[in-house]
Amino acid sequence: MINHQIKVAFDEYSSLQELDITDRELCLQAVKAMENSHSPYSKFSVGAALKLQSGKIILGSNQENVAYPSGLCAERVALFHWGANHPDDLIESMAVTAHTNEFKLLKPVTSCGSCLQVMAEYEKKQGKPIRVLLYCIDGPVWVINGIENLLPFLFFEDRLA
Ligand code: THU
């Protein structure tokens, strides 16, 4: 038996103020994206903002549905919009944030497995790592370089061969 250990890495910034202006603005765009969150069932808003190579920003927010599984997370709303409309304008960074009136969030919200798998797909497609900024309002920001640091056992196409 061999015990393998995998390390992932991320940078923690104690607050938004510690980030450079570009990253700070992207986090604030993720906050703006939450304005269009449709989350009457969970009462949990999530916002995502993609910064493309051209400088264009794409926003997404969670969109829930009375038929629960029909809804979609903020990250995938933004990513699928990118895939459908701007696939040649590479994604540099993606900021994600969340808010609820039900309790105070003390740490950044981490994306679900399905969103990570979609990030991994597009990262592979564009051939360039995506920086992910997980922003806790009034709290820390976690910066992750590349999806392998979020999903080390991600499902690769080569595994199909
Ligand atoms: N949600 C996201 O938008 N992104 C995630 O990565 C996790 C969860 C949404 C889905 C649902 O609308 C609400 O948060 C509560 O789970």
Side-chain angles (χ1 to χ4, degrees):
M1 190 273 268
I2 304 169
N3 175 249
H4 294 279
Q5 310 238 349
I6 294 179
K7 271 193 188 166
V8 297
F10 69 97
D11 297 321
E12 177 169 289
Y13 294 81
S14 62
S15 77
L16 204 59
Q17 319 320 318
E18 253 194 75
L19 296 179
D20 71 29
I21 179 102
T22 314
D23 285 347
R24 202 180 316 146
E25 277 175 4
L26 192 62
C27 288
L28 294 175
Q29 289 289 331
V31 173
K32 181 168 173 248
M34 288 195 295
E35 287 171 14
N36 291 334
S37 163
H38 177 64
S39 41
Y41 307 106
S42 71
K43 298 184 172 41
F44 192 83
S45 302
V46 184
L50 306 182
K51 183 175 171 290
L52 310 187
Q53 208 166 37
S54 68
K56 187 171 177 56
I57 304 286
I58 289 175
L59 303 185
S61 51
N62 55 332
Q63 301 297 318
E64 297 183 351
N65 192 280
V66 63
Y68 290 6
S70 303
L72 199 61
C73 294
E75 295 92 322
R76 276 176 290 162
V77 169
L79 288 162
F80 288 149
H81 177 89
W82 174 80
N85 298 289
H86 307 280
D88 300 324
D89 195 353
L90 307 194
I91 303 168
E92 284 184 347
S93 307
M94 170 171 198
V96 180
T97 194
H99 174 77
T100 177
N101 287 326
E102 311 288 301
F103 54 90
K104 186 161 170 50
L105 289 165
L106 301 172
K107 283 192 288 191
V109 159
T110 44
S111 302
C112 78
S114 299
C115 289
L116 295 181
Q117 187 68 43
V118 171
M119 289 177 204
E121 177 80 17
Y122 286 154
E123 188 177 75
K124 195 151 205 300
K125 185 182 180 206
Q126 71 173 19
K128 189 173 171 249
I130 299 173
R131 287 176 71 240
V132 180
L133 295 97
L134 302 174
Y135 167 43
C136 175
I137 296 170
D138 298 328
V141 188
W142 294 345
V143 180
I144 300 102
N145 284 302
I147 311 309
E148 254 187 293
N149 280 304
L150 286 162
L151 192 62
F153 278 103
L154 66 91
F155 181 72
F156 278 121
E157 176 185 281
D158 2 325
R159 307 252 161 90
L160 292 173

